[in-house]
Amino acid sequence: MSDPVLNAVHVYPVKSVAGCAPGEAAVEPWGLAGDRRWVLTEPDGRQITQRQQPRLALASARPLPGGGIRLTAPGLEPLDVEVPDEIGTVTVQIFRDKVEAVPAGADADAWASDFLGVEARLNHLDAPEHRRPIRPDFARPDETVSFADAYPLLLTTTASLDALNSLIAQGDHADEGPLPMNRFRPNVVVDGVAPWAEDGWRRVRIGEIDFRAPQPSARCVITTTDQRTAERGKEPLRTLARHHRIGDALVFGQNLIPETTGTLRVGDPVEILE
């Protein structure tokens, strides 16, 4: 087996919308620069994700200089959205967390509503350094997170995906495989480790940046959504339920909390510290 190495970096500017795979990305205390700094919500502030709207897989967001984004989706003209002026905040709900955010404005809301076919709002996380603390049972008091589900970064490995696809091929929904890595929406993908090794990691260094690994990632229905078509199947949850549980959770990948900052680059060495 070759030495562990960083295979890919992924940034998703809008939560649950397709992102991009740059060759490098800056690591901030709350996640990769620009990652999940925007979220779509219902008018009452509740988040909209692929859990409720698998069609979000067909939309894409790309970062623009200055923190803005370019939104694209089938049937709509692209829309550039600048970081909104801080003229007031609204409360958005990310799972159990109530988070203050800044509305993106009427044009962005209309674009998102047209695409989804329901009334929607686009909101920006203006101050990630203090808006949303990480769950205190897995973090230090001053650690925060973006609009990501729970932790600043998600790591997956190519070996675990290969192992999962081998299990899917032996199961009763083999026609759904092999699955691509985009089903799991990772921030960093690692080559050169054994399948499922990441489950037991507690600290890891990628390049010159150190991370804590608080717990493996419990997976949800989004992983069953084909990111090219927005159609749903049974896999990988059916196979994870049979072959890769930790307690009650169906897991794939490892969550990360940065202990230092810097820049990740594809090809960086990966060292397992604990």
Side-chain angles (χ1 to χ4, degrees):
M1 184 175 294
S2 59
D3 292 335
V5 65
L6 182 60
N7 169 272
V9 177
H10 298 274
V11 176
Y12 311 93
V14 180
K15 182 179 178 69
S16 236
V17 168
C20 55
E24 62 182 52
V27 176
E28 298 171 334
W30 41 85
L32 296 183
D35 186 65
R36 296 175 174 94
R37 291 288 296 276
W38 305 77
V39 67
L40 290 163
T41 69
E42 298 179 11
D44 65 3
R46 288 180 295 173
Q47 68 177 352
I48 299 174
T49 73
Q50 288 185 39
R51 293 170 178 84
Q52 306 88 12
Q53 289 278 358
R55 181 172 169 77
L56 283 176
L58 306 180
S60 177
R62 295 291 184 270
L64 295 174
I69 52 173
R70 174 165 294 165
L71 298 171
T72 58
L76 293 178
E77 290 295 321
L79 179 70
D80 289 355
V81 183
E82 300 300 327
V83 172
D85 294 330
E86 296 182 27
I87 57 176
T89 62
V90 295
T91 301
V92 302
Q93 186 164 348
I94 310 297
F95 301 108
R96 293 173 293 179
D97 299 337
K98 294 186 182 297
V99 186
E100 294 301 302
V102 181
D107 289 347
D109 292 349
W111 190 97
S113 299
D114 286 348
F115 175 63
L116 292 176
V118 298
E119 194 171 356
R121 305 282 187 268
L122 181 65
N123 299 283
H124 180 253
L125 184 63
D126 61 325
E129 67 274 12
H130 63 77
R131 290 293 192 200
R132 187 183 176 212
I134 300 174
R135 290 169 53 188
D137 45 343
F138 288 102
R140 296 166 184 163
D142 59 344
E143 291 178 326
T144 60
V145 62
S146 66
F147 287 135
D149 279 0
Y151 295 100
L153 284 87
L154 173 65
L155 176 151
T156 60
T157 71
T158 54
S160 293
L161 181 62
D162 290 344
L164 177 61
N165 278 326
S166 178
L167 292 169
I168 290 173
Q170 301 168 40
D172 51 6
H173 289 274
D175 59 310
E176 293 188 27
L179 301 183
M181 190 65 84
N182 65 8
R183 289 291 186 97
F184 302 95
R185 297 177 61 82
N187 291 115
V188 292
V189 181
V190 172
D191 277 347
V193 299
W196 317 117
E198 66 274 15
D199 293 349
W201 296 349
R202 293 297 171 261
R203 293 183 66 243
V204 60
R205 178 175 296 148
I206 307 176
E208 298 180 351
I209 306 173
D210 291 352
F211 300 88
R212 293 199 321 281
Q215 60 178 167
S217 179
R219 308 317 305 222
C220 71
V221 69
I222 290 177
T223 60
T224 69
T225 306
D226 188 320
Q227 298 295 296
R228 299 170 302 167
T229 66
E231 296 177 356
R232 283 199 169 135
K234 298 293 186 182
E235 296 293 359
L237 294 186
R238 190 173 183 89
T239 294
L240 290 175
R242 292 174 171 174
H243 298 284
H244 202 68
R245 288 177 176 267
I246 296 180
D248 292 332
L250 316 183
V251 302
F252 187 89
Q254 177 64 258
N255 293 295
L256 298 179
I257 301 173
E259 293 192 321
T260 56
T261 59
T263 299
L264 294 177
R265 297 176 176 85
V266 171
D268 278 348
V270 176
E271 181 181 357
I272 314 311
L273 302 177
E274 292 181 23

